Amino acid sequence: MTSSQPQDPRRYWAFISYSHHDSHAAIRLHRRLEAYRVPRHLVGRSTASGAVPKRLQPIFRDRDELPSSAELGGVIRQALSESRHLIVICSPSAAASRWVDEEIRLFKAMGGGDRILALIVDGEPHAADPSRECFPPALLESEPIAADLRKSGDGPFLARMKLLAGLLGLGLDELVRRERRRQREQSLIRGGVLAVFALLIVVAMTVQRRDFDQREQLEYRRQLVEHGRRELLAESPMRAAVYLAEAYRRGEDSLALRYMLQRAMQPIDALRQVLNSNGVPWRSFLTEDDALLTVVGQDGWIDVWSLEQGRRLAHIEDAAIAARNFVKREEPALSHDRRLLSVAVVNSKTLQGHRTVWSIQDQRRLLDVAVDPFDPASVQPFSPDGELLAIAPGGKPRLWSIADGAFRSIDVDGEVTLSTFDRSGRWMAFGKRSGEVELRSRQPGGRSLRLRGLSRPVVLMVFDDDSGRLLAAGEDGSVRGWTLPNGELVFASGHSQQVTFLDFSRDRERFLTAAADGLRIWRSRDGSLLYSGASPDSKPFSLGPDGAQFAQIVPGGAQVVDVQTNESLLRLEGNILNVLLSNRGRQLLTVNASGQIARWRADQRPLGQRWHGDRPESSRVFWRNSVDFALLPDGRIVSGGLDGRPRIWRGSALEPLASLDPLGDAISRVSASADGERVAVSTISGVIEVWNPQTQERLRRFELPGRFISNLRLSPDGRHLFAADMGNTGHLWNVDSGEHRAQYVMDSRFALDISGDSRWLAIPVQRRTLVIDLLTLESRLEEPLVGDAEESPEIGCLRFAPDGRALVAMASESDEVGWISLHSPQRYHMHLPDAGGCFAAKFSPDGQRILLLDQARTSAAIWEPAQGRIGDLAGHTKSVFDADWSPDGRFLVTGGSDGQIKLWDAQSLLLIDDIGSHMGAISTISFSPDGRTLYSSGVDDGRLQAWPFGLENRTAGEIAGRVNCVSPWTLENNALLPKSVDLQRCLEP
């Protein structure tokens, strides 16, 4: 119950009296009493000591015994008079203390005798041993309330409660009950707090562990991506796909990853058909129309498959064939009507040769004749009318009738080592041990030809029926070619070792020879060597239908190679034993060690390629076989090259749309307006024409006789045309009127640009950047690159930002680079490390970064003027000649003087793909407006090429399932391990 009694005027709730020896106990007691919080239910209650306070503050503690004083000081007396209670800390030391005793007596004299509280900390009250007496003499005269702090007495808790009860005027039991209840509540609170704290610790540790796991997972995903990137650059896409698919499955997702995944998935997605044979294959052969595939097993079986129907037409197993060894150069041959199969074998024990003819329809053996055991090979043993040409023992050729087995001998001088029909059956050719080739016409009264040029036994022959040519190879590696029917020797070359393969491409434009010293591809019309590369001893290669590609077995798989650039166009992995490029379409057939025959698409890289032909006979100026092109917004491409004829193509397949009238000399530059309605082309002899590519109408023709046009720019609106010749003279025309508006002497013919709004022309004049208003021809800006014009270097490259509000200038023969604002005094300047002369500068689509190309550097540089940062795209072996940003600015493509085309992640500046190549330097490279195709042209090879560019859009599960099915690799414990695959399962619905 709360009382309204007046407030006690005494200042202190208690005065603590103690000896110096007990000062530690006094300090603890003082702190605990003042820190004690009275239970809130008791606060304000009226007691003999007054209203119960919230806290017992203040309490006076004498800190000194004043040993030098003869009596108590005035401060002590004042404090005692202002204290409600006196607490005496009792111990033998206190009992012997004069000052403690006097403080007790003085407090009693002030009327406080009934308000004295004793706290025993040591000794005994009323002890028999005076030395153990704890009460001072003044206390022995009365019996005060005593609390015993010792464990043998009340203990610390109860002793403190006794003192508090005495000070507050409360009953000890009530105070103890309330205190214990509060302690329980506090214990519960502390327990809850501890529980919450423990929970927070657990949560923090969980979050920390999760963050650690996330960081660990992030790092692992990055490692997977990096492994995949390196495998892709090492031309192992099926290995790369395993790493990249796992990173994708684990949540890694970026545009660079999606591009690399799409690239790595190309060979995996190329699988189109799978057939299962019944054993381990040895050789496989494809008919010219791609209809039938013949597979010869290592133990002598033969399968004939219809690829169109996907079924086996014949399976031949014969004990006699199985007991014989196939001659390495022998190819099973089909008759013209595809009903018969001929196989030549030799018995390894008796060395007796046999040629067997089988019926494919019912697998019957129709003919088995003895042939020469040393070389029973024949490229085409069947005549169109059903006779079989073979070499009898002793090197004598014979014709057998398949119907009845009858034969007739053919009288040929000398020992024959090889015989064949041409495809039409009009000619029979006989290669002799002497090296002579004898041709016999099968026409009535036909002539006989003796072809000379080889000095060693003839081991291979092949006809080109379309152009009337015959190729033959001698045992010493020499190869000769003759025209028919006149027998003129037109080719004489070969190898240093015996040729094991000789054949024409299906279009007869090229032929391939192979020996232990290498594989070579030749142009048929002039015998020039197009390709020379390494070749294993066996025959793991196949020439494509146009001779532009060949397939070969390589360690760990197979690949399709571009003849001109030696670039791998398709790389497959696994235990592949045979490869065949289809003759009609761009498909690859492989046969693996499990006997699975797989058909793959082989037309993915490049998507299209075109050649611009030879220099016109009228040209009197030497110019490299370079191609330039411009992309139109509707997907068409206009290109020009050495033949001087502008051509228009459509799409990534480079489908021919039109061939414009020739300009009479090699085309040097092509430029187009932004809307694609006008295209300008220039030649190396000073002719410039402007065309409408849609109507193919020539709009204007300008001539600068004898001037080599090195640079050409049509304004985005198509109204202005600027051309710079090799003499560094620039000319400006109005295309609408045909007016020649101005002429300038430039520091460099390569440094010119027109802003995107067609308002400004930038050119270098007298060591200054000159910006000209195309409407008025007035100068907007004349500014040197650094300092004044006399000290500034000449400018070699200029380029406007996409918004036309700034431009970048590069020195022609030094490392100076500057960024200039056209609408403010803001300028940025830098020194490009190791620079010696610019090639080009190109802004990113957002205008924030600039791609810098320099002829002295093998890397392109990325400059961010506002941030002052610069990064390098290092990967080419020679200078970077041209480059481009993707439309979204996320990727960069570079083309080098080394002929390589490389793709980079614009964010990390990491190389992510070697896209392809040209023979010689890259002339021009560009993304299509929709960003789905890359176009490139060469300086030396006369080719325009289109390359696919895309991002993987399938789900991680779809990707993982496909990769797991086709790729012969699996990821275990962060390492790639080989595995067997069943390709048939990959095509099941």
Side-chain angles (χ1 to χ4, degrees):
M1 176 180 296
T2 302
S3 174
S4 59
Q5 66 183 26
Q7 184 177 359
D8 196 314
R10 285 172 291 190
R11 178 180 178 186
Y12 301 108
W13 276 93
F15 182 108
I16 300 177
S17 178
Y18 61 96
S19 73
H20 179 72
H21 184 271
D22 298 326
S23 61
H24 291 296
I27 292 172
R28 287 196 300 271
L29 177 64
H30 187 192
R31 289 175 179 174
R32 291 201 174 191
L33 290 178
E34 285 196 338
Y36 179 73
R37 297 181 62 183
V38 178
R40 63 178 182 276
H41 299 295
L42 299 177
V43 174
R45 179 185 295 184
S46 179
T47 68
S49 298
V52 177
K54 294 181 179 179
R55 291 182 183 273
L56 291 169
Q57 294 178 350
I59 292 177
F60 184 89
R61 175 174 60 85
D62 179 15
R63 299 180 179 226
D64 300 302
E65 293 191 30
L66 304 176
S68 61
S69 300
E71 59 184 9
L72 292 177
V75 174
I76 298 299
R77 292 176 179 274
Q78 181 68 26
L80 284 171
S81 66
E82 292 180 355
S83 298
R84 300 186 185 192
H85 297 84
L86 174 66
I87 300 175
V88 181
I89 296 180
C90 301
S91 69
S93 297
S97 172
R98 168 190 170 190
W99 305 113
V100 172
D101 187 70
E102 286 195 12
E103 288 171 350
I104 298 171
R105 293 184 184 281
L106 181 58
F107 191 76
K108 284 183 176 180
M110 294 178 179
D114 59 346
R115 290 181 278 114
I116 298 176
L117 305 174
L119 176 67
I120 301 173
V121 297
D122 193 15
E124 296 289 341
H126 307 290
D129 183 358
S131 64
R132 294 294 297 159
E133 178 60 52
C134 66
F135 282 170
L139 281 183
L140 291 174
E141 297 173 359
S142 60
E143 290 293 335
I145 299 175
D148 194 344
L149 190 65
R150 297 172 300 171
K151 292 182 179 180
S152 58
D154 297 325
F157 173 74
L158 188 58
R160 185 162 58 93
M161 289 296 102
K162 280 186 177 181
L163 288 179
L164 290 170
L167 292 172
L168 296 171
L170 296 171
L172 177 62
D173 291 343
E174 181 181 14
L175 189 62
V176 168
R177 286 196 308 271
R178 291 188 179 275
E179 182 64 22
R180 290 194 183 280
R181 184 172 66 184
R182 184 171 68 174
Q183 287 182 351
R184 287 194 299 270
E185 292 175 351
Q186 290 178 344
S187 296
L188 290 175
I189 293 173
R190 284 195 298 269
V193 170
L194 289 175
V196 171
F197 185 68
L199 179 61
L200 291 176
I201 292 176
V202 171
V203 170
M205 292 178 65
T206 302
V207 171
Q208 185 179 28
R209 179 63 185 176
R210 184 186 63 190
D211 291 343
F212 176 79
D213 290 343
Q214 288 178 345
R215 289 194 300 270
E216 194 174 54
Q217 282 294 316
L218 177 62
E219 180 61 28
Y220 181 55
R221 294 198 305 268
R222 289 176 176 172
Q223 290 178 5
L224 290 172
V225 173
E226 179 61 17
H227 286 316
R229 185 183 73 90
R230 293 182 179 181
E231 292 289 356
L232 192 61
L233 295 175
E235 297 185 350
S236 298
M238 287 188 169
R239 292 170 61 94
V242 176
Y243 284 119
L244 298 174
E246 179 63 14
Y248 192 35
R249 187 187 69 82
R250 288 175 174 266
E252 186 70 17
D253 195 5
S254 67
L255 293 182
L257 171 64
R258 285 179 176 262
Y259 171 82
M260 290 189 289
L261 256 179
Q262 173 269 148
R263 181 75 165 87
M265 290 297 292
Q266 285 179 0
I268 291 176
D269 291 334
L271 183 63
R272 288 294 179 268
Q273 185 181 33
V274 178
L275 306 172
N276 287 319
S277 58
N278 294 329
V280 180
W282 174 61
R283 287 286 183 265
S284 52
F285 313 98
L286 190 63
T287 57
E288 287 194 4
D289 61 359
D290 297 341
L292 299 182
L293 174 70
T294 304
V295 182
V296 182
Q298 291 187 358
D299 54 359
W301 54 265
I302 302 174
D303 279 348
V304 180
W305 293 85
S306 168
L307 294 181
E308 182 178 355
Q309 299 174 13
R311 68 184 185 91
R312 184 162 42 199
L313 302 180
H315 177 71
I316 298 172
E317 287 194 50
D318 187 283
I321 294 180
R324 303 164 182 169
N325 291 332
F326 282 89
V327 177
K328 290 185 179 180
R329 287 199 304 261
E330 172 59 17
E331 297 185 7
L334 291 171
S335 62
H336 291 265
D337 59 7
R338 313 291 173 81
R339 297 173 60 189
L340 305 176
L341 174 71
S342 171
V343 182
V345 295
V346 62
N347 189 293
S348 60
K349 295 181 179 179
T350 65
L351 296 182
Q352 293 178 345
H354 290 262
R355 182 173 287 279
T356 309
V357 177
W358 297 82
S359 167
I360 292 178
Q361 184 174 3
D362 53 14
Q363 289 94 65
R364 288 186 302 114
R365 184 167 54 193
L366 304 178
L367 186 68
D368 190 353
V369 298
V371 295
D372 190 282
F374 297 103
D375 213 341
S378 178
V379 176
Q380 177 49 267
F382 291 107
S383 68
D385 53 6
E387 289 185 302
L388 178 72
L389 177 63
I391 305 170
K396 301 301 180 181
R398 291 178 179 176
L399 275 173
W400 275 270
S401 169
I402 297 173
D404 56 14
F407 69 88
R408 59 186 177 91
S409 297
I410 302 173
D411 186 17
V412 177
D413 294 339
E415 184 179 350
V416 175
T417 58
L418 185 65
S419 62
T420 184
F421 286 108
D422 69 344
R423 286 189 299 167
S424 66
R426 294 176 299 175
W427 292 93
M428 291 184 296
F430 304 98
K432 302 179 183 180
R433 189 165 296 277
S434 65
E436 182 183 75
V437 176
E438 184 173 339
L439 266 68
R440 295 281 184 88
S441 173
R442 300 188 69 212
Q443 303 297 324
R447 58 184 297 192
S448 175
L449 291 176
R450 293 179 182 270
L451 308 178
R452 295 181 175 87
L454 297 173
S455 60
R456 301 289 295 167
V458 179
V459 294
L460 290 172
M461 289 189 302
V462 60
F463 274 103
D464 173 10
D465 295 6
D466 298 335
S467 59
R469 283 172 294 187
L470 175 70
L471 292 174
E475 193 178 57
D476 59 354
S478 56
V479 180
R480 301 293 183 266
W482 301 268
T483 59
L484 303 178
N486 57 15
E488 179 186 359
L489 181 66
V490 293
F491 178 79
S493 189
H495 295 255
S496 62
Q497 301 183 46
Q498 181 174 327
V499 176
T500 57
F501 185 81
L502 174 66
D503 199 5
F504 282 100
S505 61
R506 293 304 175 257
D507 63 3
R508 303 304 192 255
E509 292 295 325
R510 302 179 182 190
F511 64 90
L512 181 148
T513 61
D517 64 350
L519 182 151
R520 295 169 189 172
I521 297 176
W522 316 77
R523 183 181 286 123
S524 300
R525 57 188 170 92
D526 57 13
S528 58
L529 181 63
L530 300 177
Y531 173 86
S532 180
S535 171
D537 293 336
S538 59
K539 190 177 61 178
F541 43 78
S542 173
L543 191 61
D546 57 0
Q549 301 90 26
F550 68 89
Q552 66 177 161
I553 299 292
V554 294
Q559 67 177 354
V560 178
V561 179
D562 181 84
V563 169
Q564 194 167 32
T565 63
N566 198 27
E567 187 79 22
S568 178
L569 304 179
L570 175 66
R571 179 70 179 262
L572 303 176
E573 297 176 59
N575 194 1
I576 298 173
L577 303 180
N578 279 255
V579 287
L580 287 170
L581 274 173
S582 64
N583 301 315
R584 302 282 182 183
R586 298 179 67 180
Q587 300 187 64
L588 178 69
L589 293 171
T590 62
V591 185
N592 63 25
S594 301
Q596 287 194 321
I597 304 160
R599 180 169 60 88
W600 313 77
R601 281 184 56 199
D603 60 348
Q604 297 170 323
R605 308 185 66 80
L607 295 173
Q609 55 180 326
R610 299 295 176 180
W611 185 60
H612 260 272
D614 296 324
R615 182 170 62 249
E617 295 182 0
S618 60
S619 175
R620 297 182 179 181
V621 180
F622 171 76
W623 180 237
R624 302 165 78 174
N625 196 0
S626 179
V627 173
D628 194 26
F629 65 89
L631 302 179
L632 307 186
D634 60 1
R636 290 176 298 162
I637 306 98
V638 180
S639 65
L642 192 63
D643 60 359
R645 184 182 292 274
R647 302 174 189 272
I648 304 176
W649 319 90
R650 178 167 56 199
S652 57
L654 295 178
E655 176 189 350
L657 292 181
S659 180
L660 306 182
D661 293 341
L663 276 68
D665 215 332
I667 292 174
S668 58
R669 289 291 179 262
V670 180
S671 182
S673 61
D675 59 8
E677 295 297 323
R678 292 180 176 181
V679 173
V681 293
S682 62
T683 73
I684 61 176
S685 55
V687 175
I688 304 171
E689 292 186 349
V690 180
W691 292 77
N692 182 322
Q694 186 67 35
T695 63
Q696 300 174 34
E697 174 189 2
R698 185 171 64 189
L699 305 176
R700 290 291 174 191
R701 180 182 174 94
F702 307 107
E703 295 187 15
L704 299 171
R707 303 289 185 91
F708 190 121
I709 306 302
S710 300
N711 209 344
L712 184 72
R713 194 63 52 87
L714 190 61
S715 63
D717 62 6
R719 298 179 58 194
H720 308 283
L721 178 67
F722 193 92
D725 62 33
M726 193 169 284
N728 291 333
T729 301
H731 300 266
L732 177 65
W733 288 274
N734 183 302
V735 177
D736 292 334
S737 65
E739 175 192 1
H740 183 276
R741 302 185 63 201
Q743 179 173 315
Y744 302 91
V745 178
M746 304 166 61
D747 293 342
S748 171
R749 59 189 178 275
F750 300 112
L752 71 92
D753 197 19
I754 298 177
S755 62
D757 60 3
S758 301
R759 178 70 184 276
W760 310 106
L761 167 69
I763 56 174
V765 176
Q766 297 181 351
R767 301 178 182 269
R768 294 179 174 88
T769 297
L770 181 62
V771 178
I772 302 166
D773 188 329
L774 286 173
L775 298 179
T776 65
L777 297 185
E778 294 178 354
S779 298
R780 166 68 182 273
L781 177 76
E782 294 185 39
E783 184 171 314
L785 191 54
V786 291
D788 57 36
E790 293 182 358
E791 298 177 353
S792 180
E794 289 188 348
I795 297 169
C797 296
L798 287 168
R799 181 58 65 97
F800 278 103
D803 60 5
R805 300 178 62 84
L807 59 81
V808 63
M810 297 178 67
S812 60
E813 295 182 355
S814 71
D815 62 358
E816 306 286 348
V817 184
W819 182 95
I820 304 168
S821 171
L822 301 183
H823 298 274
S824 74
Q826 191 173 25
R827 302 290 187 268
Y828 297 107
H829 181 265
M830 67 161 298
H831 293 275
L832 182 61
D834 304 319
C838 70
F839 271 148
K842 296 191 176 183
F843 279 89
S844 60
D846 62 5
Q848 299 301 308
R849 294 186 288 174
I850 310 170
L851 186 62
L852 306 175
L853 310 181
D854 187 274
Q855 60 187 352
R857 293 166 51 94
T858 60
S859 60
I862 304 294
W863 182 34
E864 298 180 67
Q867 282 73 37
R869 292 194 297 264
I870 185 170
D872 272 333
L873 307 178
H876 288 276
T877 58
K878 295 182 180 180
S879 57
V880 182
F881 201 84
D882 197 18
D884 195 21
W885 297 84
S886 62
D888 60 5
R890 303 293 186 89
F891 297 93
L892 284 159
V893 63
T894 58
S897 299
D898 54 5
Q900 299 298 309
I901 304 169
K902 297 180 180 292
L903 185 74
W904 311 79
D905 178 9
Q907 184 66 32
S908 65
L909 303 188
L910 283 175
L911 175 64
I912 59 177
D913 193 13
D914 287 318
I915 287 181
S917 64
H918 282 259
M919 186 180 70
I922 305 298
S923 171
T924 308
I925 190 163
S926 181
F927 278 94
S928 63
D930 62 6
R932 300 175 62 182
T933 309
L934 275 168
Y935 294 95
S936 65
S937 62
V939 171
D940 298 300
D941 61 4
R943 287 204 292 182
L944 171 67
Q945 298 188 116
W947 306 90
F949 182 87
L951 305 178
E952 183 57 65
N953 292 317
R954 285 172 288 184
T955 66
E958 291 172 327
I959 293 292
R962 186 69 177 171
V963 170
N964 183 60
C965 185
V966 179
S967 177
W969 300 97
T970 186
L971 188 62
E972 292 185 11
N973 297 324
N974 301 333
L976 278 187
L977 300 176
K979 68 171 185 179
S980 59
V981 294
D982 180 6
L983 295 178
Q984 183 72 54
R985 182 174 61 86
C986 302
L987 297 180
E988 294 175 356

